[in-house]
Amino acid sequence: MNTKELQNLTKKFEYVWDKLNPQDLKTAMEFSERYKNFMDSAKTEREAVFEIIKRAKENGYIDLNDAIKEGRKLKAGDKVYANNKNKAVALFVIGKEDIEKGMNIIGSHIDSPRIDLKPNALYEDEGFALFETHYYGGIKKYQWVTIPLALHGVVVKKDGSKINIVIGEDENDPVLYITDLLIHLAADQMDKKLMKGIEGEDLNILVGNQPIEDKEAKERVKLNILRLLNEKYDISEEDFITAEFEIVPAGKSRDVGLDRSMVMAYGHDDRICAYTSLEAIFEIEVPNKTCVVLFVDKEEVGSNGATGMYSKFFENSVAEVMNLKGEYNELNLRRALANSKMLSSDVSAAFDPIYPSVLEKKNCAYMGKGIVITKYTGSRGKLSCNDANAEFLGEIRNLFNEHNITWQTGELGKVDQGGGGTIAYITAEYGMEVVDCGVALLSMHAPWEIASKVDIYETYRAYKVFLQYI
Ligand code: MN
Ligand code: MN
């Protein structure tokens, strides 16, 4: 072999930018505009479910519960969605083949790291009203102080009615805020480790400073806040206990870079994979295999609970769909799950030239080099990982190459540096083939995370061919 032939034996990962023609590039940029709109309206898992179902209905999807009530028979090309307590949702497009032969599944999560209010949140201290909080998921606490914050939540009132509250997103709204110590008085704080610089119990939200008129009353600032909340939302302090209030960064997603090549948003992890898989399934009409996109909650805290991946919701929904297709029995259900193929669509860490030491350059993902296939996650010796099978990776590789998808491989950090997990190992318990496959990010889990516009587009394209052809 000559040198050229020998060089062809090496594997090079290319930039999506170099592979898209001008028309495709324009389409990719337009796609990221739609993505930003979605992100601005879906900053919590509940808002994401609302937006997903709204769009699903516009695309001809019907509620699985309605289909069950009406005793509808499902056939190839029918589209249904299953809503799990307004916090998780699954979309199905019924295929021509029996479901028993397996489904093509893409699963992402729609919860993101954030700060939750405690049940007894509101208190007063030295003329300030504040909210007590308990953060949700892995955050670097120091990143959440002195930035504009918004409150998104739902309150279940005494009479059982439910209201949604969003404060801090409209430009005329006030924002919420967590203070930090002025540098002049921070000598002790600055000596601490980053981990301890801002403590969890100190992530208290500043919500007011104006007392009620009655000078004799106690806790006058707190009472004023309660009055404002009561006037606007008809709620009292006890209603905080039957509420879910989430504190997220206030504001909209933005283009990043003078060349506008990147998107900054809250919650790319993992609504970037949610949105791309949603757009992908909307392109599917009458597939051979039944296609599913799954959007789950609670991934950032271990996937437990009725709305997390560990719950039986997905399995139960598949059973219901099979039943309406006249295919259900216990054995068929088990076969359907075991014969399925799944992309666990979650984000990966992109190489950051400012922090080169934590990733191993030959095996980490790079922004702009397309969708990331991550064979294994885990930490300290692949602990708790789903290590995807070479045979399945082979299928994915051929599929992506055949359809000219720009893809790369990723690894969540150097060996012994840290690590993490996704929902992959949970669905793998059914015996289905699963591999992690998603978008590489900078500043993952920060209030504002960064993604490449071409990676977003390429991920959508990859998900579409996976649903259609795997
Ligand atoms: Mn994730
Ligand atoms: Mn995460």
Side-chain angles (χ1 to χ4, degrees):
M1 278 195 269
N2 62 32
T3 308
K4 184 100 180 54
E5 286 165 331
L6 286 171
Q7 280 166 342
N8 281 340
L9 294 177
T10 63
K11 171 64 189 164
K12 290 174 211 73
F13 294 104
E14 295 169 284
Y15 284 107
V16 183
W17 300 101
D18 295 329
K19 291 178 72 182
L20 292 180
N21 65 43
Q23 184 53 47
D24 289 341
L25 204 53
K26 191 165 166 278
T27 311
M29 296 303 114
E30 287 162 0
F31 190 91
S32 73
E33 292 306 307
R34 295 202 299 280
Y35 172 62
K36 285 190 289 180
N37 285 337
F38 173 82
M39 292 303 273
D40 294 340
S41 54
K43 292 176 87 168
T44 66
E45 63 282 9
R46 284 176 186 271
E47 290 171 0
V49 166
F50 180 85
E51 288 295 324
I52 288 164
I53 290 180
K54 187 174 90 182
R55 287 151 203 255
K57 282 179 175 166
E58 288 163 7
N59 281 274
Y61 286 73
I62 57 161
D63 190 337
L64 179 61
N65 280 332
D66 291 344
I68 294 167
K69 270 186 224 137
E70 293 159 17
R72 224 181 249 247
K73 292 274 167 287
L74 292 179
K75 54 177 196 315
D78 282 348
K79 298 166 181 174
V80 291
Y81 69 87
N83 177 355
N84 185 9
K85 300 177 170 60
N86 301 311
K87 291 174 162 189
V89 57
L91 269 52
F92 295 81
V93 182
I94 309 302
K96 292 178 212 156
E97 291 180 8
D98 288 349
I99 297 179
E100 179 197 342
K101 300 245 172 72
M103 300 163 283
N104 297 345
I105 305 166
I106 302 178
S108 60
H109 66 93
I110 49 177
D111 61 319
S112 298
R114 59 175 191 255
I115 299 174
D116 288 341
L117 295 199
K118 290 189 184 184
N120 300 308
L122 182 61
Y123 73 101
E124 176 166 340
D125 196 351
E126 294 298 339
F128 291 106
L130 299 114
F131 284 151
E132 287 283 359
T133 69
H134 195 146
Y135 62 94
Y136 174 99
I139 64 168
K140 288 163 114 178
K141 282 160 273 193
Y142 70 84
Q143 293 175 334
W144 291 74
V145 298
T146 73
I147 61 168
L149 298 169
L151 178 142
H152 291 236
V154 61
V155 183
V156 177
K157 296 194 197 180
K158 271 198 285 288
D159 63 3
S161 65
K162 203 159 67 173
I163 54 164
N164 293 312
I165 296 179
V166 178
I167 302 168
E169 297 295 353
D170 188 287
E171 61 182 38
N172 297 313
D173 278 359
V175 292
L176 306 179
Y177 186 90
I178 301 170
T179 57
D180 191 6
L181 205 47
L182 61 169
I183 182 71
H184 315 71
L185 300 181
D188 290 349
Q189 184 193 37
M190 299 300 274
D191 273 343
K192 291 181 184 170
K193 286 188 171 165
L194 220 44
M195 179 102 165
K196 294 275 177 191
I198 303 286
E199 304 257 13
E201 273 303 345
D202 294 337
L203 289 177
N204 294 349
I205 314 277
L206 196 56
V207 289
N209 189 218
Q210 182 183 352
I212 58 163
E213 302 75 10
D214 181 356
K215 295 197 185 94
E216 305 305 313
K218 281 186 185 149
E219 301 197 313
R220 300 162 65 206
V221 181
K222 173 177 167 176
L223 289 179
N224 192 39
I225 295 295
L226 282 174
R227 174 167 66 189
L228 287 168
L229 290 171
N230 186 260
E231 280 168 5
K232 181 132 196 220
Y233 304 107
D234 188 27
I235 58 176
S236 66
E237 195 170 19
E238 194 176 274
D239 290 315
F240 276 75
I241 296 167
T242 55
E244 285 171 16
F245 286 125
E246 303 179 9
I247 305 293
V248 301
K252 291 187 186 327
S253 48
R254 303 280 293 267
D255 287 350
V256 171
L258 302 184
D259 55 6
R260 296 179 173 270
S261 56
M262 298 164 276
V263 176
M264 176 189 89
Y266 164 65
H268 279 318
D269 178 9
D270 184 28
R271 293 189 279 268
I272 200 166
C273 295
Y275 182 75
T276 44
S277 59
L278 181 68
E279 288 284 327
I281 201 166
F282 287 161
E283 306 271 323
I284 307 296
E285 288 306 330
V286 191
N288 287 325
K289 289 262 163 63
T290 290
C291 292
V292 187
V293 289
L294 184 58
F295 309 92
V296 296
D297 181 29
K298 295 282 180 281
E299 193 276 342
E300 296 294 355
V301 291
S303 296
N304 305 97
T307 55
M309 193 65 240
Y310 275 118
S311 93
K312 293 280 184 283
F313 163 74
F314 175 57
E315 186 182 325
N316 291 347
S317 300
V318 173
E320 295 283 7
V321 167
M322 291 180 83
N323 192 41
L324 295 184
K325 208 166 168 274
E327 276 186 50
Y328 176 77
N329 66 44
E330 177 63 24
L331 185 59
N332 284 350
L333 172 64
R334 290 190 202 190
R335 283 177 180 158
L337 291 163
N339 290 332
S340 288
K341 290 172 184 172
M342 174 169 176
L343 297 181
S344 161
S345 54
D346 208 339
V347 296
S348 182
F351 180 77
D352 183 340
I354 299 177
Y355 301 101
S357 66
V358 298
L359 295 166
E360 190 260 286
K361 277 184 138 178
K362 294 180 294 303
N363 282 284
C364 68
Y366 292 83
M367 291 240 312
K369 290 194 174 180
I371 188 165
V372 184
I373 301 172
T374 305
K375 186 177 188 297
Y376 51 84
T377 56
S379 55
R380 290 167 288 117
K382 297 190 177 183
L383 210 69
S384 302
C385 76
N386 163 63
D387 205 337
N389 294 315
E391 292 84 349
F392 184 45
L393 287 174
E395 282 185 66
I396 301 286
R397 160 194 172 181
N398 286 339
L399 175 78
F400 287 175
N401 285 344
E402 219 170 278
H403 294 276
N404 201 24
I405 304 290
T406 308
W407 59 273
Q408 56 179 326
T409 57
E411 186 183 53
L412 200 58
K414 265 186 185 170
V415 178
D416 290 337
Q417 183 65 44
T422 63
I423 60 171
Y425 68 96
I426 306 169
T427 51
E429 284 187 15
Y430 291 114
M432 66 176 74
E433 296 279 15
V434 189
V435 65
D436 282 298
C437 194
V439 183
L441 301 183
L442 291 180
S443 302
M444 192 198 296
H445 282 210
W448 300 100
E449 304 170 315
I450 308 289
S452 156
K453 287 185 178 176
V454 289
D455 289 341
I456 300 171
Y457 182 64
E458 210 58 11
T459 298
Y460 148 75
R461 290 185 59 232
Y463 288 165
K464 192 166 73 174
V465 300
F466 176 85
L467 290 174
Q468 254 168 337
Y469 302 115
I470 192 72

